[in-house]
PDB file of all heavy atoms in Angstrom:
ATOM      1  N   SER A  97     -15.425  72.520  54.254  1.00 98.00           N
ATOM      2  CA  SER A  97     -14.757  73.776  53.900  1.00 98.00           C
ATOM      3  C   SER A  97     -14.523  73.959  52.423  1.00 98.00           C
ATOM      4  O   SER A  97     -14.799  74.859  51.749  1.00 98.00           O
ATOM      5  CB  SER A  97     -13.314  73.949  54.626  1.00 98.00           C
ATOM      6  OG  SER A  97     -13.489  74.043  55.925  1.00 98.00           O
ATOM      7  N   LEU A  98     -14.100  72.868  51.751  1.00 98.00           N
ATOM      8  CA  LEU A  98     -13.813  72.835  50.305  1.00 98.00           C
ATOM      9  C   LEU A  98     -15.148  72.935  49.550  1.00 98.00           C
ATOM     10  O   LEU A  98     -15.305  73.594  48.543  1.00 98.00           O
ATOM     11  CB  LEU A  98     -13.066  71.532  49.894  1.00 98.00           C
ATOM     12  CG  LEU A  98     -11.677  71.324  50.556  1.00 98.00           C
ATOM     13  CD1 LEU A  98     -10.991  70.178  50.017  1.00 98.00           C
ATOM     14  CD2 LEU A  98     -10.834  72.592  50.255  1.00 98.00           C
ATOM     15  N   VAL A  99     -16.159  72.158  50.069  1.00 98.00           N
ATOM     16  CA  VAL A  99     -17.537  72.230  49.412  1.00 98.00           C
ATOM     17  C   VAL A  99     -18.049  73.648  49.442  1.00 98.00           C
ATOM     18  O   VAL A  99     -18.699  74.120  48.470  1.00 98.00           O
ATOM     19  CB  VAL A  99     -18.409  71.287  50.083  1.00 98.00           C
ATOM     20  CG1 VAL A  99     -19.944  71.482  49.579  1.00 98.00           C
ATOM     21  CG2 VAL A  99     -17.974  69.716  49.787  1.00 98.00           C
ATOM     22  N   GLY A 100     -17.770  74.228  50.646  1.00 98.00           N
ATOM     23  CA  GLY A 100     -18.272  75.641  50.742  1.00 98.00           C
ATOM     24  C   GLY A 100     -17.702  76.660  49.822  1.00 98.00           C
ATOM     25  O   GLY A 100     -18.618  77.318  49.088  1.00 98.00           O
ATOM     26  N   VAL A 101     -16.400  76.668  49.458  1.00 98.00           N
ATOM     27  CA  VAL A 101     -15.876  77.565  48.465  1.00 98.00           C
ATOM     28  C   VAL A 101     -16.373  77.185  47.082  1.00 98.00           C
ATOM     29  O   VAL A 101     -16.580  78.114  46.288  1.00 98.00           O
ATOM     30  CB  VAL A 101     -14.435  77.694  48.686  1.00 98.00           C
ATOM     31  CG1 VAL A 101     -14.022  78.395  50.014  1.00 98.00           C
ATOM     32  CG2 VAL A 101     -13.641  76.270  48.501  1.00 98.00           C
ATOM     33  N   ALA A 102     -16.469  75.959  46.824  1.00 97.00           N
ATOM     34  CA  ALA A 102     -16.817  75.550  45.504  1.00 97.00           C
ATOM     35  C   ALA A 102     -18.260  75.999  45.215  1.00 97.00           C
ATOM     36  O   ALA A 102     -18.552  76.570  44.082  1.00 97.00           O
ATOM     37  CB  ALA A 102     -16.719  74.011  45.454  1.00 97.00           C
ATOM     38  N   LEU A 103     -19.160  75.741  46.079  1.00 98.00           N
ATOM     39  CA  LEU A 103     -20.619  76.260  46.045  1.00 98.00           C
ATOM     40  C   LEU A 103     -20.670  77.717  45.901  1.00 98.00           C
ATOM     41  O   LEU A 103     -21.621  78.286  45.008  1.00 98.00           O
ATOM     42  CB  LEU A 103     -21.446  75.792  47.131  1.00 98.00           C
ATOM     43  CG  LEU A 103     -21.602  74.235  47.306  1.00 98.00           C
ATOM     44  CD1 LEU A 103     -22.364  73.922  48.639  1.00 98.00           C
ATOM     45  CD2 LEU A 103     -22.316  73.809  46.056  1.00 98.00           C
ATOM     46  N   ALA A 104     -19.763  78.414  46.535  1.00 97.00           N
ATOM     47  CA  ALA A 104     -19.826  79.886  46.522  1.00 97.00           C
ATOM     48  C   ALA A 104     -19.543  80.264  45.058  1.00 97.00           C
ATOM     49  O   ALA A 104     -20.217  81.229  44.469  1.00 97.00           O
ATOM     50  CB  ALA A 104     -18.810  80.527  47.484  1.00 97.00           C
ATOM     51  N   ILE A 105     -18.405  79.734  44.570  1.00 97.00           N
ATOM     52  CA  ILE A 105     -18.084  80.058  43.140  1.00 97.00           C
ATOM     53  C   ILE A 105     -19.179  79.780  42.064  1.00 97.00           C
ATOM     54  O   ILE A 105     -19.555  80.571  41.240  1.00 97.00           O
ATOM     55  CB  ILE A 105     -16.759  79.364  42.685  1.00 97.00           C
ATOM     56  CG1 ILE A 105     -15.545  79.900  43.511  1.00 97.00           C
ATOM     57  CG2 ILE A 105     -16.516  79.443  41.235  1.00 97.00           C
ATOM     58  CD1 ILE A 105     -14.325  79.229  43.359  1.00 97.00           C
ATOM     59  N   LEU A 106     -19.700  78.606  42.318  1.00 97.00           N
ATOM     60  CA  LEU A 106     -20.846  78.142  41.354  1.00 97.00           C
ATOM     61  C   LEU A 106     -22.030  79.123  41.448  1.00 97.00           C
ATOM     62  O   LEU A 106     -22.779  79.452  40.447  1.00 97.00           O
ATOM     63  CB  LEU A 106     -21.332  76.854  41.649  1.00 97.00           C
ATOM     64  CG  LEU A 106     -20.179  75.759  41.268  1.00 97.00           C
ATOM     65  CD1 LEU A 106     -20.745  74.402  41.771  1.00 97.00           C
ATOM     66  CD2 LEU A 106     -19.854  75.752  39.864  1.00 97.00           C
ATOM     67  N   GLY A 107     -22.396  79.613  42.697  1.00 96.00           N
ATOM     68  CA  GLY A 107     -23.491  80.352  42.909  1.00 96.00           C
ATOM     69  C   GLY A 107     -23.289  81.762  42.205  1.00 96.00           C
ATOM     70  O   GLY A 107     -24.165  82.287  41.633  1.00 96.00           O
ATOM     71  N   THR A 108     -22.114  82.340  42.376  1.00 95.00           N
ATOM     72  CA  THR A 108     -21.740  83.513  41.852  1.00 95.00           C
ATOM     73  C   THR A 108     -21.688  83.536  40.296  1.00 95.00           C
ATOM     74  O   THR A 108     -22.090  84.460  39.583  1.00 95.00           O
ATOM     75  CB  THR A 108     -20.473  84.067  42.382  1.00 95.00           C
ATOM     76  OG1 THR A 108     -20.586  84.110  43.763  1.00 95.00           O
ATOM     77  CG2 THR A 108     -20.204  85.573  41.894  1.00 95.00           C
ATOM     78  N   ALA A 109     -21.164  82.459  39.769  1.00 93.00           N
ATOM     79  CA  ALA A 109     -21.134  82.143  38.314  1.00 93.00           C
ATOM     80  C   ALA A 109     -22.517  82.131  37.735  1.00 93.00           C
ATOM     81  O   ALA A 109     -22.850  82.691  36.683  1.00 93.00           O
ATOM     82  CB  ALA A 109     -20.446  80.902  37.944  1.00 93.00           C
ATOM     83  N   ARG A 110     -23.489  81.621  38.390  1.00 93.00           N
ATOM     84  CA  ARG A 110     -24.840  81.636  37.975  1.00 93.00           C
ATOM     85  C   ARG A 110     -25.405  82.959  38.118  1.00 93.00           C
ATOM     86  O   ARG A 110     -26.301  83.379  37.270  1.00 93.00           O
ATOM     87  CB  ARG A 110     -25.593  80.571  38.960  1.00 93.00           C
ATOM     88  CG  ARG A 110     -27.143  80.463  38.527  1.00 93.00           C
ATOM     89  CD  ARG A 110     -27.860  79.568  39.451  1.00 93.00           C
ATOM     90  NE  ARG A 110     -29.200  79.377  38.917  1.00 93.00           N
ATOM     91  CZ  ARG A 110     -29.540  78.442  38.251  1.00 93.00           C
ATOM     92  NH1 ARG A 110     -28.722  77.401  37.953  1.00 93.00           N
ATOM     93  NH2 ARG A 110     -30.799  78.260  37.775  1.00 93.00           N
ATOM     94  N   LEU A 111     -24.901  83.735  39.055  1.00 92.00           N
ATOM     95  CA  LEU A 111     -25.485  85.113  39.235  1.00 92.00           C
ATOM     96  C   LEU A 111     -25.176  85.946  37.927  1.00 92.00           C
ATOM     97  O   LEU A 111     -26.002  86.693  37.479  1.00 92.00           O
ATOM     98  CB  LEU A 111     -24.855  85.780  40.443  1.00 92.00           C
ATOM     99  CG  LEU A 111     -25.285  87.191  40.636  1.00 92.00           C
ATOM    100  CD1 LEU A 111     -26.680  87.435  41.249  1.00 92.00           C
ATOM    101  CD2 LEU A 111     -24.266  87.750  41.827  1.00 92.00           C
ATOM    102  N   TYR A 112     -24.022  85.736  37.482  1.00 89.00           N
ATOM    103  CA  TYR A 112     -23.443  86.591  36.372  1.00 89.00           C
ATOM    104  C   TYR A 112     -23.962  86.088  34.943  1.00 89.00           C
ATOM    105  O   TYR A 112     -23.867  86.769  34.008  1.00 89.00           O
ATOM    106  CB  TYR A 112     -21.919  86.808  36.300  1.00 89.00           C
ATOM    107  CG  TYR A 112     -21.374  87.532  37.449  1.00 89.00           C
ATOM    108  CD1 TYR A 112     -20.435  87.067  38.294  1.00 89.00           C
ATOM    109  CD2 TYR A 112     -21.835  88.809  37.711  1.00 89.00           C
ATOM    110  CE1 TYR A 112     -20.008  87.764  39.339  1.00 89.00           C
ATOM    111  CE2 TYR A 112     -21.407  89.542  38.786  1.00 89.00           C
ATOM    112  CZ  TYR A 112     -20.429  89.123  39.582  1.00 89.00           C
ATOM    113  OH  TYR A 112     -19.902  89.800  40.596  1.00 89.00           O
ATOM    114  N   ALA A 113     -24.412  84.829  34.916  1.00 86.00           N
ATOM    115  CA  ALA A 113     -24.600  84.205  33.657  1.00 86.00           C
ATOM    116  C   ALA A 113     -25.670  85.002  32.756  1.00 86.00           C
ATOM    117  O   ALA A 113     -25.380  85.208  31.558  1.00 86.00           O
ATOM    118  CB  ALA A 113     -25.145  82.777  33.846  1.00 86.00           C
ATOM    119  N   PRO A 114     -26.719  85.472  33.306  1.00 83.00           N
ATOM    120  CA  PRO A 114     -27.634  86.181  32.419  1.00 83.00           C
ATOM    121  C   PRO A 114     -27.153  87.451  31.820  1.00 83.00           C
ATOM    122  O   PRO A 114     -27.491  87.871  30.806  1.00 83.00           O
ATOM    123  CB  PRO A 114     -28.822  86.466  33.221  1.00 83.00           C
ATOM    124  CG  PRO A 114     -28.759  85.369  34.413  1.00 83.00           C
ATOM    125  CD  PRO A 114     -27.320  85.213  34.732  1.00 83.00           C
ATOM    126  N   LEU A 115     -26.312  88.056  32.597  1.00 78.00           N
ATOM    127  CA  LEU A 115     -25.698  89.299  32.156  1.00 78.00           C
ATOM    128  C   LEU A 115     -24.546  89.209  31.122  1.00 78.00           C
ATOM    129  O   LEU A 115     -24.527  90.092  30.252  1.00 78.00           O
ATOM    130  CB  LEU A 115     -24.805  90.021  33.361  1.00 78.00           C
ATOM    131  CG  LEU A 115     -25.753  90.310  34.576  1.00 78.00           C
ATOM    132  CD1 LEU A 115     -24.907  90.877  35.741  1.00 78.00           C
ATOM    133  CD2 LEU A 115     -26.949  91.272  34.319  1.00 78.00           C
ATOM    134  N   LEU A 116     -24.108  87.973  31.044  1.00 76.00           N
ATOM    135  CA  LEU A 116     -23.180  87.739  29.863  1.00 76.00           C
ATOM    136  C   LEU A 116     -23.869  87.329  28.611  1.00 76.00           C
ATOM    137  O   LEU A 116     -23.354  87.559  27.473  1.00 76.00           O
ATOM    138  CB  LEU A 116     -22.185  86.661  30.326  1.00 76.00           C
ATOM    139  CG  LEU A 116     -21.279  86.976  31.442  1.00 76.00           C
ATOM    140  CD1 LEU A 116     -20.524  85.699  31.932  1.00 76.00           C
ATOM    141  CD2 LEU A 116     -20.343  88.068  31.092  1.00 76.00           C
ATOM    142  N   ALA A 117     -25.022  86.923  28.722  1.00 69.00           N
ATOM    143  CA  ALA A 117     -25.892  86.532  27.558  1.00 69.00           C
ATOM    144  C   ALA A 117     -25.052  85.848  26.438  1.00 69.00           C
ATOM    145  O   ALA A 117     -25.197  86.125  25.233  1.00 69.00           O
ATOM    146  CB  ALA A 117     -26.388  87.867  26.944  1.00 69.00           C
ATOM    147  N   GLY A 118     -24.364  84.765  26.985  1.00 64.00           N
ATOM    148  CA  GLY A 118     -23.720  83.887  26.063  1.00 64.00           C
ATOM    149  C   GLY A 118     -22.311  84.433  25.475  1.00 64.00           C
ATOM    150  O   GLY A 118     -21.664  83.809  24.648  1.00 64.00           O
ATOM    151  N   ARG A 119     -21.968  85.672  25.897  1.00 73.00           N
ATOM    152  CA  ARG A 119     -20.685  86.233  25.528  1.00 73.00           C
ATOM    153  C   ARG A 119     -19.496  85.384  26.197  1.00 73.00           C
ATOM    154  O   ARG A 119     -19.698  84.900  27.354  1.00 73.00           O
ATOM    155  CB  ARG A 119     -20.642  87.611  25.928  1.00 73.00           C
ATOM    156  CG  ARG A 119     -21.318  88.540  24.917  1.00 73.00           C
ATOM    157  CD  ARG A 119     -20.618  89.999  24.883  1.00 73.00           C
ATOM    158  NE  ARG A 119     -20.606  90.476  26.211  1.00 73.00           N
ATOM    159  CZ  ARG A 119     -19.772  91.373  26.587  1.00 73.00           C
ATOM    160  NH1 ARG A 119     -19.029  92.053  25.665  1.00 73.00           N
ATOM    161  NH2 ARG A 119     -19.728  91.897  27.764  1.00 73.00           N
ATOM    162  N   ALA A 120     -18.474  85.377  25.664  1.00 78.00           N
ATOM    163  CA  ALA A 120     -17.226  84.804  26.163  1.00 78.00           C
ATOM    164  C   ALA A 120     -16.659  85.653  27.269  1.00 78.00           C
ATOM    165  O   ALA A 120     -16.567  86.922  27.128  1.00 78.00           O
ATOM    166  CB  ALA A 120     -16.219  84.467  25.034  1.00 78.00           C
ATOM    167  N   ALA A 121     -16.257  85.119  28.405  1.00 83.00           N
ATOM    168  CA  ALA A 121     -15.756  85.755  29.487  1.00 83.00           C
ATOM    169  C   ALA A 121     -14.869  84.784  30.317  1.00 83.00           C
ATOM    170  O   ALA A 121     -15.177  83.614  30.280  1.00 83.00           O
ATOM    171  CB  ALA A 121     -16.851  86.404  30.367  1.00 83.00           C
ATOM    172  N   VAL A 122     -13.864  85.382  30.760  1.00 88.00           N
ATOM    173  CA  VAL A 122     -12.955  84.560  31.781  1.00 88.00           C
ATOM    174  C   VAL A 122     -13.388  84.692  33.197  1.00 88.00           C
ATOM    175  O   VAL A 122     -13.395  85.939  33.607  1.00 88.00           O
ATOM    176  CB  VAL A 122     -11.366  84.936  31.452  1.00 88.00           C
ATOM    177  CG1 VAL A 122     -10.667  84.183  32.462  1.00 88.00           C
ATOM    178  CG2 VAL A 122     -11.088  84.595  30.096  1.00 88.00           C
ATOM    179  N   MET A 123     -13.759  83.726  33.780  1.00 91.00           N
ATOM    180  CA  MET A 123     -14.318  83.968  35.289  1.00 91.00           C
ATOM    181  C   MET A 123     -13.086  83.667  36.227  1.00 91.00           C
ATOM    182  O   MET A 123     -12.435  82.599  36.154  1.00 91.00           O
ATOM    183  CB  MET A 123     -15.401  82.782  35.484  1.00 91.00           C
ATOM    184  CG  MET A 123     -16.477  82.830  34.606  1.00 91.00           C
ATOM    185  SD  MET A 123     -17.463  84.324  34.662  1.00 91.00           S
ATOM    186  CE  MET A 123     -18.418  84.130  36.139  1.00 91.00           C
ATOM    187  N   VAL A 124     -12.651  84.723  36.830  1.00 92.00           N
ATOM    188  CA  VAL A 124     -11.528  84.596  37.816  1.00 92.00           C
ATOM    189  C   VAL A 124     -12.070  84.631  39.293  1.00 92.00           C
ATOM    190  O   VAL A 124     -12.786  85.286  39.625  1.00 92.00           O
ATOM    191  CB  VAL A 124     -10.494  85.805  37.515  1.00 92.00           C
ATOM    192  CG1 VAL A 124      -9.979  85.708  36.078  1.00 92.00           C
ATOM    193  CG2 VAL A 124     -11.237  87.121  37.681  1.00 92.00           C
ATOM    194  N   PRO A 125     -11.366  83.754  40.013  1.00 94.00           N
ATOM    195  CA  PRO A 125     -11.876  83.589  41.453  1.00 94.00           C
ATOM    196  C   PRO A 125     -11.443  84.728  42.399  1.00 94.00           C
ATOM    197  O   PRO A 125     -10.674  84.460  43.301  1.00 94.00           O
ATOM    198  CB  PRO A 125     -11.367  82.169  41.846  1.00 94.00           C
ATOM    199  CG  PRO A 125     -10.059  82.153  41.075  1.00 94.00           C
ATOM    200  CD  PRO A 125     -10.302  82.860  39.744  1.00 94.00           C
ATOM    201  N   ALA A 126     -11.711  85.935  42.052  1.00 93.00           N
ATOM    202  CA  ALA A 126     -11.209  87.059  42.947  1.00 93.00           C
ATOM    203  C   ALA A 126     -11.456  86.946  44.340  1.00 93.00           C
ATOM    204  O   ALA A 126     -10.570  86.917  45.244  1.00 93.00           O
ATOM    205  CB  ALA A 126     -11.712  88.401  42.300  1.00 93.00           C
ATOM    206  N   GLY A 127     -12.867  87.054  44.664  1.00 95.00           N
ATOM    207  CA  GLY A 127     -13.254  87.035  46.127  1.00 95.00           C
ATOM    208  C   GLY A 127     -12.795  85.731  46.792  1.00 95.00           C
ATOM    209  O   GLY A 127     -12.163  85.844  47.995  1.00 95.00           O
ATOM    210  N   MET A 128     -12.835  84.513  46.289  1.00 96.00           N
ATOM    211  CA  MET A 128     -12.483  83.329  46.903  1.00 96.00           C
ATOM    212  C   MET A 128     -10.985  83.186  47.141  1.00 96.00           C
ATOM    213  O   MET A 128     -10.492  82.654  48.073  1.00 96.00           O
ATOM    214  CB  MET A 128     -13.021  82.222  46.208  1.00 96.00           C
ATOM    215  CG  MET A 128     -14.379  81.873  46.509  1.00 96.00           C
ATOM    216  SD  MET A 128     -14.898  81.663  48.348  1.00 96.00           S
ATOM    217  CE  MET A 128     -15.573  83.233  48.791  1.00 96.00           C
ATOM    218  N   LEU A 129     -10.181  83.850  46.177  1.00 96.00           N
ATOM    219  CA  LEU A 129      -8.750  83.871  46.311  1.00 96.00           C
ATOM    220  C   LEU A 129      -8.319  84.595  47.422  1.00 96.00           C
ATOM    221  O   LEU A 129      -7.512  84.321  48.124  1.00 96.00           O
ATOM    222  CB  LEU A 129      -8.119  84.436  45.008  1.00 96.00           C
ATOM    223  CG  LEU A 129      -6.626  84.200  44.715  1.00 96.00           C
ATOM    224  CD1 LEU A 129      -6.401  82.634  44.659  1.00 96.00           C
ATOM    225  CD2 LEU A 129      -6.190  84.862  43.404  1.00 96.00           C
ATOM    226  N   VAL A 130      -9.063  85.769  47.689  1.00 96.00           N
ATOM    227  CA  VAL A 130      -8.885  86.643  48.817  1.00 96.00           C
ATOM    228  C   VAL A 130      -9.054  85.781  50.191  1.00 96.00           C
ATOM    229  O   VAL A 130      -8.329  85.830  51.149  1.00 96.00           O
ATOM    230  CB  VAL A 130      -9.624  87.894  48.922  1.00 96.00           C
ATOM    231  CG1 VAL A 130      -9.552  88.655  50.213  1.00 96.00           C
ATOM    232  CG2 VAL A 130      -9.149  88.876  47.761  1.00 96.00           C
ATOM    233  N   TYR A 131     -10.229  85.064  50.247  1.00 97.00           N
ATOM    234  CA  TYR A 131     -10.595  84.445  51.455  1.00 97.00           C
ATOM    235  C   TYR A 131      -9.599  83.310  51.754  1.00 97.00           C
ATOM    236  O   TYR A 131      -9.187  83.245  52.915  1.00 97.00           O
ATOM    237  CB  TYR A 131     -11.976  83.803  51.180  1.00 97.00           C
ATOM    238  CG  TYR A 131     -12.323  82.997  52.605  1.00 97.00           C
ATOM    239  CD1 TYR A 131     -13.006  83.857  53.565  1.00 97.00           C
ATOM    240  CD2 TYR A 131     -12.233  81.705  52.693  1.00 97.00           C
ATOM    241  CE1 TYR A 131     -13.335  83.124  54.681  1.00 97.00           C
ATOM    242  CE2 TYR A 131     -12.652  81.118  53.829  1.00 97.00           C
ATOM    243  CZ  TYR A 131     -13.114  81.826  54.811  1.00 97.00           C
ATOM    244  OH  TYR A 131     -13.497  81.111  55.984  1.00 97.00           O
ATOM    245  N   ILE A 132      -9.270  82.492  50.783  1.00 97.00           N
ATOM    246  CA  ILE A 132      -8.331  81.264  51.175  1.00 97.00           C
ATOM    247  C   ILE A 132      -6.945  81.801  51.398  1.00 97.00           C
ATOM    248  O   ILE A 132      -6.105  80.998  52.014  1.00 97.00           O
ATOM    249  CB  ILE A 132      -8.444  80.308  50.075  1.00 97.00           C
ATOM    250  CG1 ILE A 132      -7.712  80.766  48.760  1.00 97.00           C
ATOM    251  CG2 ILE A 132      -9.861  79.784  49.756  1.00 97.00           C
ATOM    252  CD1 ILE A 132      -7.572  79.828  47.588  1.00 97.00           C
ATOM    253  N   ALA A 133      -6.539  82.958  51.013  1.00 97.00           N
ATOM    254  CA  ALA A 133      -5.331  83.475  51.319  1.00 97.00           C
ATOM    255  C   ALA A 133      -5.083  83.814  52.785  1.00 97.00           C
ATOM    256  O   ALA A 133      -3.892  83.815  53.304  1.00 97.00           O
ATOM    257  CB  ALA A 133      -4.933  84.687  50.265  1.00 97.00           C
ATOM    258  N   ILE A 134      -6.205  84.262  53.461  1.00 96.00           N
ATOM    259  CA  ILE A 134      -6.016  84.702  54.803  1.00 96.00           C
ATOM    260  C   ILE A 134      -5.639  83.553  55.677  1.00 96.00           C
ATOM    261  O   ILE A 134      -6.430  82.424  55.684  1.00 96.00           O
ATOM    262  CB  ILE A 134      -7.408  85.281  55.293  1.00 96.00           C
ATOM    263  CG1 ILE A 134      -7.833  86.516  54.450  1.00 96.00           C
ATOM    264  CG2 ILE A 134      -7.298  85.685  56.737  1.00 96.00           C
ATOM    265  CD1 ILE A 134      -9.218  86.945  54.704  1.00 96.00           C
ATOM    266  N   PRO A 135      -4.547  83.515  56.336  1.00 96.00           N
ATOM    267  CA  PRO A 135      -3.994  82.363  57.081  1.00 96.00           C
ATOM    268  C   PRO A 135      -5.087  81.809  58.026  1.00 96.00           C
ATOM    269  O   PRO A 135      -5.239  80.431  58.178  1.00 96.00           O
ATOM    270  CB  PRO A 135      -2.879  82.714  57.732  1.00 96.00           C
ATOM    271  CG  PRO A 135      -2.275  83.900  56.822  1.00 96.00           C
ATOM    272  CD  PRO A 135      -3.525  84.599  56.293  1.00 96.00           C
TER     273      PRO A 135
END
Side-chain angles (χ1 to χ4, degrees):
S97 296
L98 300 182
V99 168
V101 295
L103 291 176
I105 292 173
L106 294 176
T108 306
R110 185 184 184 93
L111 176 72
Y112 291 129
L115 303 179
L116 294 172
R119 281 203 312 161
V122 175
M123 306 294 284
V124 294
M128 282 302 102
L129 197 60
V130 167
Y131 181 80
I132 68 172
I134 302 172

